[in-house]
Amino acid sequence: MFYRLSGVHHADYISDSRMFKVPADRNLAVFFLIIGVAAPFIIPSLYLNSYMLPWLIWTAAALGLNLVTGWAGQLHLGYAAVMAVGAYSAIHAAKFGVPWEFALIIGGLASSVIGSLFAFAALRVKGLYLALTTLAMQFVMDWVLTHSPAISGGSHASLQSPTLALLGQDITSDAGYYYVAFGWCVLVTIFMLNLKRTGLGRALVAVREKDFAAAILGVNSFYYKILAFATSSFIAGVSGALLVATFFFLAAPEQFSVNVSIQVLAMVIVGGLGSIIGSYFGVALILLVPGLVNGLVAAGSEAIGMQINVETLAHIPNAVYGALIVVILLIEPLGLGKLYGNIREYLMVWPFDQLRK
Amino acid sequence: MRQLTKALAVFSMMGGLITGSQALAEPFKVGVCYDLSKAYTFASPQVSQAAMDLAKLVNLKGGIGGEPVEVIVRDHGNEPQRGIECYSKLSREGVFVFDTLSTPVSLAILPRAMEDGRVLMQSLVGRGDAVDGTVFDWVYPVGPTYWGQAANDVAYLKQLHDGDLSDVKVGFVYFDYPFGQEPIEILETLSEKEGFDLELYPVPLPGSDQASVWSKVRRDKPDHVIVWMLGGAHVVASKEMQRNRIPMDKYISVNWLNEVDIANIGNEAAIGLKRGTNVVGGLDVPLRQEILAELYEKGEGSGPLEKTEDVFYNTGLAMYSIVFEAARKAVELEGLPITPESYKAGLETLKDFDANGLMAPITVTGEDHGGGGKTRIEMWDGETWVPQTDWISAYSDVVWDVVKESSEKYGQ
């Protein structure tokens, strides 16, 4: 009823490979796009800048990781390091006087080069071995950042980002930062939506399912793996640069440390491997829920006037948040994206679901 | 049951109304966005407990300018993103004095605080060059920088060796990341200036494996070891020192070493161990005694009593004595309500303030936001901390050269 299927017929390949096969999906996407555009006018600036903005940038980053882990099936434990490469090279480029548009691309390309260089070495091994090699990349990057003041910005290891300016326009307002993040996230989402429909996307899926079977089909699995690493690293690099330019305003090694890598991976896994909408949900859960639960618990204990030790108070949200992840993965191991998929599936024929059986 | 909850809700609303109408002017609020769950838990519970106790004591004595004070403690889990969230949320609620007790979060908040005109207190964390008030208008790292602390350690050694360090060998054992690397530059400069030999011993994080480091120390035989590590790493170091038969009195720690570490090292084994500090260690601090009498003996302390028997509790008292004293000065200067500007002015009139013998006297000025950076060396004698020097701030020209060199890069 909500996702009406009547009248939707695919009589040719072009229609069958449309991005949104069910009109309701398209309408929903347009609806959220409109909300996204109108957000600065309807959402208070606190939520816009402390929640929406990091959420969108991290979603873009998580989509990039989803490309390599969800689509191409290669476990990546050093994603934050790749983001760091992009962030630092873009900021250094911008400090050097390169316009931000190009600085962002330089950041992306630098990440791409380093990310796929590592992949070159790493792809000689598979599975868990590959995961450990990418973890090694993370540690190499951590070491480089903490031991080269020229890159990390002096003895405090904090590198200030110059004011962001795009298309000759200095961006300094809350709304401006938000639109940059929003624009980038939409761009990455559109790219990922289209990836599903292209030969590249299908090749990646083939490599993920069984790389030697893909090779028999004529898909050069090594080439496509490298391509997946390079593309995802590009997305990571630009996302990292934007994260610093619009949110942190300065880059520090802790922002791209190994636990951040694990966090992004958790976003992708909790959201659902290979699911675009899942990445949005996963990022929201991993990034925003701890803060929200923290606020709720603090407000709750104040409201009932309970004297809880601050330390205990700080650990309750962690416990709640951990339990939440476990419960969600128990209910649906394929992640939040699949959970949404189930609901959508149910509503598709509701209330006539007998017809399907 | 339902009626009861309704009644309760009505009552609490009435209560809210009544207290709301009583407090016409907003209370002076401090945003304490701390890491209470991850990396800084070795110190953050004691410091935040001190903050809350001190606020209670100030309120018992009638508040500041007749208005109550409030500390709002929130956890940010040492994540920059959540620190920013805490900052943004509280600053929209009218809080304009913040402390993070976390270097990554302090770094993340700094550009915003500078932009929004909010006072960022960052004693003992964050970028040290922020003591340069001419560049960092809104940042007040009151207390010593790590640079200043290292310089003071060298000054202590010079005292110990009757003013001549020329045939002294000093080892520097440090966590191999920015926190530990910070003093190297100062130590190298001073080693040239004073003629002592400097040996560097980087310790890989998290500091649980230091075997190679200390056997190298044994071979090199430095006369003193200055140590820039935290928490459990001190315990590992002490074990390795015992294994290599290096006497404990060679050990001079950064301020981050407390009674918990001493207990883990072993009370006897730790005798002779030294630490640099900007607060008085031990239990006989007048302010602490007052808090015990007024709060803990009446069962109104903000946490367990053991947490107050810790030098980090004294550190917290020192940090928040400064915060509240500055508010008092602000009221004296410009009256209520306290604004960010008047608070800043209040901070900058602090002169030789030592919170009744709790800490090194500080004098904050428009140029020096660090308050002079005095520290002293204390030694553990098996029961308490025994001061080895007066409050000193040595080589300030060398320290300020490094500060200026670093701070002028900000904003470029």
Side-chain angles (χ1 to χ4, degrees), chain A residues 45 146-147 156 160 247 294, chain B residues 75 82 92 112 128 176 411:
Chain A
S45 67
T146 50
H147 287 82
H156 302 286
Q160 222 194 342
F247 185 65
N294 205 358
Chain B
D75 174 43
R82 280 178 62 191
R92 279 172 175 84
R112 284 168 198 256
D176 199 10

Side-chain angles (χ1 to χ4, degrees), chain A residues 10-353:
Chain A
H10 299 297
D12 50 42
Y13 283 123
I14 294 169
S15 128
D16 188 45
S17 65
R18 259 193 300 206
M19 205 187 287
F20 298 109
K21 294 195 185 83
V22 182
D25 283 340
R26 188 193 56 216
N27 296 343
L28 210 60
V30 170
F31 173 69
F32 279 110
L33 198 67
I34 291 171
I35 289 201
V37 172
F41 307 103
I42 50 178
I43 293 176
S45 67
L46 168 67
Y47 296 97
L48 190 73
N49 264 53
S50 318
Y51 297 101
M52 289 284 279
L53 186 145
W55 177 51
L56 289 173
I57 299 181
W58 278 110
T59 303
L63 283 170
L65 181 61
N66 217 337
L67 174 69
V68 81
T69 304
W71 261 270
Q74 309 300 314
L75 203 53
H76 197 331
L77 290 176
Y79 198 68
V82 188
M83 290 177 74
V85 174
Y88 279 95
S89 17
I91 293 171
H92 278 295
K95 277 177 100 110
F96 191 67
V98 179
W100 265 104
E101 296 84 357
F102 295 106
L104 289 175
I105 293 173
I106 290 174
L109 289 178
S111 286
S112 208
V113 168
I114 303 243
S116 37
L117 258 185
F118 247 90
F120 239 107
L123 283 175
R124 300 175 62 85
V125 288
K126 280 184 205 163
L128 285 177
Y129 303 97
L130 173 70
L132 276 184
T133 324
T134 52
L135 190 62
M137 164 162 78
Q138 173 74 51
F139 286 122
V140 168
M141 211 51 74
D142 281 0
W143 194 90
V144 169
L145 283 184
T146 50
H147 287 82
S148 46
I151 296 178
S152 67
S155 61
H156 302 286
S158 70
L159 182 71
Q160 222 194 342
S161 148
T163 311
L164 183 65
L166 290 175
L167 309 173
Q169 194 77 38
D170 270 6
I171 295 169
T172 47
S173 67
D174 285 357
Y177 290 132
Y178 168 78
Y179 279 126
V180 172
F182 178 68
W184 172 242
C185 189
V186 168
L187 217 70
V188 175
T189 309
I190 291 175
F191 170 77
M192 295 298 286
L193 281 171
N194 277 297
L195 186 70
K196 277 185 173 173
R197 319 191 294 151
T198 57
L200 170 65
R202 284 189 290 272
L204 291 179
V205 171
V207 168
R208 172 185 73 196
E209 295 304 329
K210 210 61 155 183
D211 49 0
F212 48 83
I216 293 168
L217 287 174
V219 175
N220 182 345
S221 68
F222 190 75
Y223 168 75
Y224 279 107
K225 281 180 190 171
I226 291 277
L227 199 62
F229 268 97
T231 319
S232 104
S233 301
F234 184 85
I235 295 174
V238 178
S239 304
L242 284 178
L243 189 66
V244 172
T246 65
F247 185 65
F248 286 133
F249 306 125
L250 52 76
E254 291 91 353
Q255 291 158 3
F256 304 103
S257 62
V258 60
N259 46 348
V260 178
S261 276
I262 306 287
Q263 257 185 345
V264 198
L265 193 65
M267 288 168 183
V268 170
I269 290 175
V270 172
L273 289 168
S275 162
I276 292 168
I277 191 143
S279 296
Y280 279 84
F281 293 144
V283 173
L285 186 77
I286 302 285
L287 190 72
L288 304 181
V289 165
L292 290 176
V293 176
N294 205 358
L296 280 181
V297 171
S301 78
E302 255 164 51
I304 55 174
M306 215 161 48
Q307 277 285 338
I308 306 181
N309 187 310
V310 281
E311 226 185 324
T312 323
L313 208 59
H315 283 94
I316 293 173
N318 284 348
V320 171
Y321 158 70
L324 209 60
I325 292 177
V326 173
V327 168
I328 285 170
L329 288 181
L330 274 179
I331 295 174
E332 184 50 74
L334 294 178
L336 289 164
K338 179 71 176 140
L339 213 56
Y340 167 77
N342 292 346
I343 295 168
R344 176 175 173 274
E345 207 108 290
Y346 176 76
L347 291 177
M348 208 156 228
V349 282
W350 183 85
F352 304 112
D353 46 345

Side-chain angles (χ1 to χ4, degrees), chain B residues 199-393:
Chain B
E199 296 282 345
L200 301 180
Y201 305 99
V203 173
L205 283 179
S208 46
D209 181 13
Q210 302 176 21
S212 61
V213 169
W214 290 100
S215 54
K216 197 153 175 281
V217 172
R218 184 194 62 210
R219 262 171 287 161
D220 293 348
K221 297 195 184 65
D223 300 283
H224 303 277
V225 191
I226 299 177
V227 180
W228 240 249
M229 298 193 292
L230 308 164
H234 289 303
V235 184
V236 179
S238 79
K239 280 193 189 122
E240 293 297 337
M241 284 171 78
Q242 282 167 24
R243 242 160 43 86
N244 289 294
R245 294 170 201 278
I246 302 168
M248 207 62 201
D249 58 2
K250 285 191 177 181
Y251 200 88
I252 305 171
S253 163
V254 65
N255 61 292
W256 297 119
L257 186 153
N258 69 343
E259 278 75 359
V260 175
D261 301 323
I262 295 279
N264 289 341
I265 292 170
N267 233 340
E268 294 293 309
I271 291 176
L273 174 153
K274 299 176 190 74
R275 67 190 279 271
T277 180
N278 65 325
V279 298
V280 175
L283 309 179
D284 301 330
V285 181
L287 187 57
R288 180 179 173 275
Q289 301 290 8
E290 197 178 344
I291 285 175
L292 285 196
E294 295 287 336
L295 299 174
Y296 284 84
E297 280 171 20
K298 295 175 185 154
E300 294 191 0
S302 312
L305 184 65
E306 306 90 78
K307 288 250 159 75
T308 70
E309 294 161 357
D310 190 312
V311 67
F312 294 160
Y313 183 81
N314 297 3
T315 306
L317 287 181
M319 284 159 62
Y320 287 90
S321 297
I322 297 166
V323 168
F324 294 134
E325 183 63 19
R328 233 172 252 130
K329 292 272 185 197
V331 174
E332 267 173 35
L333 281 176
E334 297 179 23
L336 289 166
I338 305 170
T339 62
E341 285 75 21
S342 75
Y343 186 79
K344 206 166 126 58
L347 266 170
E348 289 174 9
T349 49
L350 290 178
K351 195 159 185 303
D352 287 325
F353 175 65
D354 70 350
N356 197 10
L358 168 68
M359 57 178 181
I362 53 144
T363 303
V364 183
T365 64
E367 288 80 42
D368 179 8
H369 283 187
K374 287 199 174 91
T375 61
R376 73 181 183 193
I377 306 291
E378 292 184 347
M379 189 190 75
W380 182 253
D381 73 349
E383 273 169 31
T384 190
W385 295 102
V386 184
Q388 303 292 301
T389 59
D390 291 331
W391 297 114
I392 44 174
S393 82

